[in-house]
Amino acid sequence: MSDTIKTSNFSQEFREEIFEEPGADKIALCFNCTGCSSGCPMTEQEPEFNIRKFLRMANLGMKDELLNNTYIWYCTTCYKCQERCPQGVHNVDALLKIRTIAVHNGIMLPVHKKVGQLVVNYGHAVPINDATKEKRKKLGLDEVPPTVHSFPDALDEVKTLLHIAGFDKIVAKEEEEK
């Protein structure tokens, strides 16, 4: 076995793309103090979630391994890690950039894709059915929220915007294999 590191799995372009995010270049300043992960509500629930590891992978340009890591989607964006970082690393902002890159590469959790499909089809991620209307009524809200559900003529406009942005293609249902 060779001691040589395979550099084919490292992408300088990926690293630079992440560093375009304001403050993300500070990832290189991380000295692994664990301030970001101690007290992280997600780390407490799921030990495999480790934002330090993700940012280190980003700094090394480990594109394929990072973008295909299911745990990058577990961050709740509470910003606790970012607020606690003594180096001022923009942890959450960098992770959001990583997620954006993943989506643009066609990598998205199936549940997120389904929510996106709801938005494309109905202009809203939460279905408004009789049960939802009843819950809203009990909460003292209008049965229908002030979204495309209240303004059905706006649905075509929403669909047009999502199409122009390419979002409809990103979340499109995959063709069933024959």
Side-chain angles (χ1 to χ4, degrees), residues 13-84:
E13 295 82 21
F14 172 64
R15 183 179 186 268
E16 289 169 4
E17 188 176 358
I18 293 168
F19 280 23
E20 289 172 0
E21 184 67 29
D25 58 329
K26 291 187 176 186
I27 292 171
L29 300 176
C30 176
F31 57 89
N32 213 26
C33 72
T34 72
C36 59
S37 53
S38 61
C40 168
M42 201 60 247
T43 302
E44 292 171 7
Q45 295 297 313
E46 179 52 66
E48 291 295 318
F49 178 83
N50 184 333
I51 196 157
R52 285 188 338 272
K53 176 182 172 184
F54 303 146
L55 298 183
R56 186 159 309 253
M57 291 168 73
N59 192 37
L60 291 171
M62 298 174 70
K63 181 179 181 177
D64 292 336
E65 189 175 350
L66 183 56
L67 296 185
N68 288 292
N69 187 318
T70 302
Y71 294 104
I72 65 170
W73 302 99
Y74 281 44
C75 176
T76 62
T77 65
C78 71
Y79 282 86
K80 189 183 255 185
C81 59
Q82 197 159 306
E83 292 168 351
R84 297 176 113 179

Side-chain angles (χ1 to χ4, degrees), residues 1-12 57 60-65:
M1 198 185 293
S2 171
D3 289 339
T4 307
I5 296 174
K6 270 180 64 177
T7 57
S8 61
N9 294 329
F10 299 92
S11 168
Q12 183 65 25
M57 291 168 73
L60 291 171
M62 298 174 70
K63 181 179 181 177
D64 292 336
E65 189 175 350

Side-chain angles (χ1 to χ4, degrees), residues 2-177:
S2 171
D3 289 339
T4 307
I5 296 174
K6 270 180 64 177
T7 57
S8 61
N9 294 329
F10 299 92
S11 168
Q12 183 65 25
E13 295 82 21
F14 172 64
R15 183 179 186 268
E16 289 169 4
E17 188 176 358
I18 293 168
F19 280 23
E20 289 172 0
E21 184 67 29
D25 58 329
K26 291 187 176 186
I27 292 171
L29 300 176
C30 176
F31 57 89
N32 213 26
C33 72
T34 72
C36 59
S37 53
S38 61
C40 168
M42 201 60 247
T43 302
E44 292 171 7
Q45 295 297 313
E46 179 52 66
E48 291 295 318
F49 178 83
N50 184 333
I51 196 157
R52 285 188 338 272
K53 176 182 172 184
F54 303 146
L55 298 183
R56 186 159 309 253
M57 291 168 73
N59 192 37
L60 291 171
M62 298 174 70
K63 181 179 181 177
D64 292 336
E65 189 175 350
L66 183 56
L67 296 185
N68 288 292
N69 187 318
T70 302
Y71 294 104
I72 65 170
W73 302 99
Y74 281 44
C75 176
T76 62
T77 65
C78 71
Y79 282 86
K80 189 183 255 185
C81 59
Q82 197 159 306
E83 292 168 351
R84 297 176 113 179
C85 180
Q87 295 296 92
V89 176
H90 291 204
N91 311 47
V92 176
D93 298 339
L95 189 59
L96 292 173
K97 178 70 174 190
I98 292 164
R99 288 179 180 175
T100 299
I101 294 168
V103 169
H104 285 279
N105 279 270
I107 302 166
M108 187 181 228
L109 290 178
V111 294
H112 293 148
K113 194 174 262 196
K114 285 182 182 178
V115 170
Q117 290 165 358
L118 288 171
V119 173
V120 168
N121 293 328
Y122 306 108
H124 200 270
V126 179
I128 301 298
N129 53 31
D130 291 339
T132 304
K133 287 178 182 179
E134 190 58 38
K135 286 178 187 175
R136 291 181 57 80
K137 207 161 104 177
K138 284 180 182 176
L139 291 169
L141 302 169
D142 292 335
E143 284 186 353
V144 178
T147 63
V148 293
H149 293 297
S150 295
F151 307 99
D153 294 341
L155 180 56
D156 287 336
E157 293 174 22
V158 170
K159 287 183 176 190
T160 299
L161 289 171
L162 294 173
H163 178 71
I164 290 169
F167 187 73
D168 57 343
K169 286 182 179 57
I170 290 171
V171 299
K173 289 184 181 179
E174 299 191 10
E175 296 292 324
E176 291 184 32
E177 292 183 31

